[in-house]
Amino acid sequence: MSNSPFITASIKTFNESQGIEKTIDSIRRQLAAYPHEIIVADSLSTDNTRELACAKGVTVVSLRHPEDRCCGVGHQLSYLHSQGEFLLLMDGDMTLEDEFIESALAFMQANPNYAGVAGRVAMDEGSNYEFKSRKQRINKIYPLGDCDHLGGGGLYRRSAIEKIGYLTHRGLHGYEEAELGIRLHQAGYKLHRLDVPYFSHTSHVMSTLTMLRYRWKSRFLSGPGELLRSAWGKPWFRDTLKITRNEAIFTLYWLLVFAMLLSGNGTLFGLSLLPLILFIGLKTVKNRSLFAGLHSVLNLTAFSAGLIRGLLTPLPDPMQPPENDIVSHQDAKQ
């Protein structure tokens, strides 16, 4: 067996002590037949995620500065330290399914014009609106066949990533996989989701309001605005508008409502609220729950505020590496 890794598995983590060992074990089991390396890219976890990962004998790299934490920085950090011909992207709360690697490699080797491939996703029963909604829309979020981007990660061809300059945008707090997909399509590549299991995912157990507060504090809700800002002046800006259209429409709507409120015209303000009432009604009927309708509005409103925040946030150069360190087992204990 060659010492040079054929596959690099990248696991991005932030406080994933509950699942990181299971994630590593599932990947190691599926990659046993291939020369491989496993890299855990940690965003300065405050629990013992790094210690647990180091004890598993994998490479652990960590950010130096907490202000660099975001969804997009993890896999880019792994990529900077990686050697594999193929890059497997996972999160620390995922478990790699048995059938994926063999099927994914066969597809990629037979289709050189594809830059990445993923598979079906299994989710547990969520305890908050975000994850319950995500499970209800799982076939829409993770569509089979050719697709615009691979939500949740996938197996990527290194040569394709080298062609577009970087793996994931180190400044995006969300939508980093969408941004990656857009750049790959611009470079002439395709993406595909196979009808085979890829990973199972453990949902957050926070309540709906607690989850929204967490998403705001972590700046995840700024993802749509940051995606738009990252694409400003680039050929794929229109593609980012397509991806963020729901958040953008809701943002424009709330700006209109606010303008009507400031106008002092009660009639116009009342009329401006009619689309909101209709939207809640439609969501209530669709989900057979008034709470689901209200939660949907609350969620979109939070993303609207995040979109504006993201648009106003300067982004780092995605080609510049974040400051980072390779973590030893002794370092992880400190």
Side-chain angles (χ1 to χ4, degrees):
M1 182 178 290
S2 171
N3 289 325
S4 179
F6 179 56
I7 301 174
T8 296
S10 168
I11 309 172
K12 65 175 181 178
T13 59
F14 176 66
N15 290 349
E16 300 290 0
S17 61
Q18 295 297 314
I20 186 60
E21 293 173 301
K22 187 177 180 181
T23 301
I24 292 171
D25 288 343
S26 70
I27 293 173
R28 183 168 277 155
R29 187 167 57 249
Q30 302 309 316
L31 297 187
Y34 309 93
H36 68 275
E37 62 180 347
I38 300 175
I39 301 177
V40 170
D42 187 71
S43 293
L44 289 174
S45 291
T46 57
D47 62 8
N48 63 337
T49 296
R50 284 173 292 177
E51 183 179 352
L52 292 172
C54 285
K56 284 290 184 181
V58 303
T59 299
V60 179
V61 294
S62 176
L63 295 175
R64 288 184 186 173
H65 308 297
E67 56 267 27
D68 287 332
R69 287 176 183 147
C70 66
C71 292
V73 75
H75 290 315
Q76 177 62 14
L77 186 56
S78 288
Y79 174 65
L80 294 172
H81 291 269
S82 68
Q83 302 178 63
E85 181 179 340
F86 290 97
L87 307 165
L88 176 69
L89 309 190
M90 301 280 290
D91 289 359
D93 56 0
M94 297 175 177
T95 303
L96 184 62
E97 298 290 350
D98 294 347
E99 302 175 36
F100 179 68
I101 293 298
E102 185 176 349
S103 299
L105 284 173
F107 180 88
M108 293 292 277
Q109 290 169 338
N111 297 277
N113 57 328
Y114 281 78
V117 62
R120 296 198 313 269
V121 174
M123 298 184 65
D124 59 10
E125 294 295 333
S127 60
N128 56 61
Y129 173 79
E130 177 183 330
F131 284 95
K132 287 181 179 178
S133 174
R134 190 181 297 184
K135 186 167 185 177
Q136 289 175 348
R137 298 178 294 117
I138 196 165
N139 293 328
K140 184 176 181 180
I141 298 174
Y142 307 108
L144 298 180
D146 285 3
C147 46
D148 294 334
H149 67 279
L150 301 176
L155 184 74
Y156 288 89
R157 196 184 305 276
R158 184 185 194 88
S159 59
I161 303 304
E162 290 175 343
K163 184 175 179 179
I164 62 173
Y166 61 92
L167 180 57
T168 50
H169 195 305
R170 55 165 290 199
L172 295 183
H173 289 82
Y175 290 65
E176 73 281 2
E177 290 143 343
E179 195 262 355
L180 171 58
I182 289 171
R183 288 185 291 115
L184 286 169
H185 281 293
Q186 285 286 320
Y189 289 102
K190 297 180 179 181
L191 299 168
H192 190 83
R193 190 176 296 276
L194 298 167
D195 190 12
V196 297
Y198 173 28
F199 68 81
S200 56
H201 182 268
T202 303
S203 304
H204 287 280
V205 295
M206 304 175 192
S207 68
T208 296
L209 291 179
T210 301
M211 190 70 194
L212 278 177
R213 285 196 295 269
Y214 173 75
R215 292 300 201 192
W216 179 262
K217 184 177 179 179
S218 68
R219 302 185 71 93
F220 176 81
L221 297 176
S222 302
E226 291 172 343
L227 177 62
L228 291 171
R229 178 164 181 144
S230 74
W232 182 253
K234 296 182 174 64
W236 56 83
F237 180 74
R238 183 176 295 182
D239 295 320
T240 64
L241 279 175
K242 179 181 177 181
I243 289 173
T244 61
R245 63 183 178 275
N246 290 340
E247 295 88 345
I249 290 171
F250 222 74
T251 301
L252 291 174
Y253 169 72
W254 277 119
L255 291 174
L256 173 63
V257 170
F258 186 63
M260 293 301 97
L261 177 63
L262 291 181
S263 73
N265 189 317
T267 300
L268 289 178
F269 175 66
L271 289 173
S272 71
L273 294 178
L274 291 179
L276 180 65
I277 296 171
L278 178 62
F279 179 83
I280 294 174
L282 291 174
K283 285 290 185 179
T284 298
V285 172
K286 181 179 179 180
N287 295 286
R288 299 179 181 180
S289 168
L290 176 60
F291 284 109
L294 294 173
H295 283 156
S296 181
V297 169
L298 179 63
N299 200 55
L300 280 170
T301 299
F303 267 108
S304 297
L307 186 146
I308 295 173
R309 185 186 190 187
L311 282 174
L312 299 175
T313 302
L315 297 175
D317 182 353
M319 294 295 292
Q320 293 298 315
E323 292 190 46
N324 64 92
D325 298 293
I326 296 178
V327 181
S328 69
H329 189 52
Q330 188 61 39
D331 292 334
K333 290 182 177 180
Q334 297 177 356

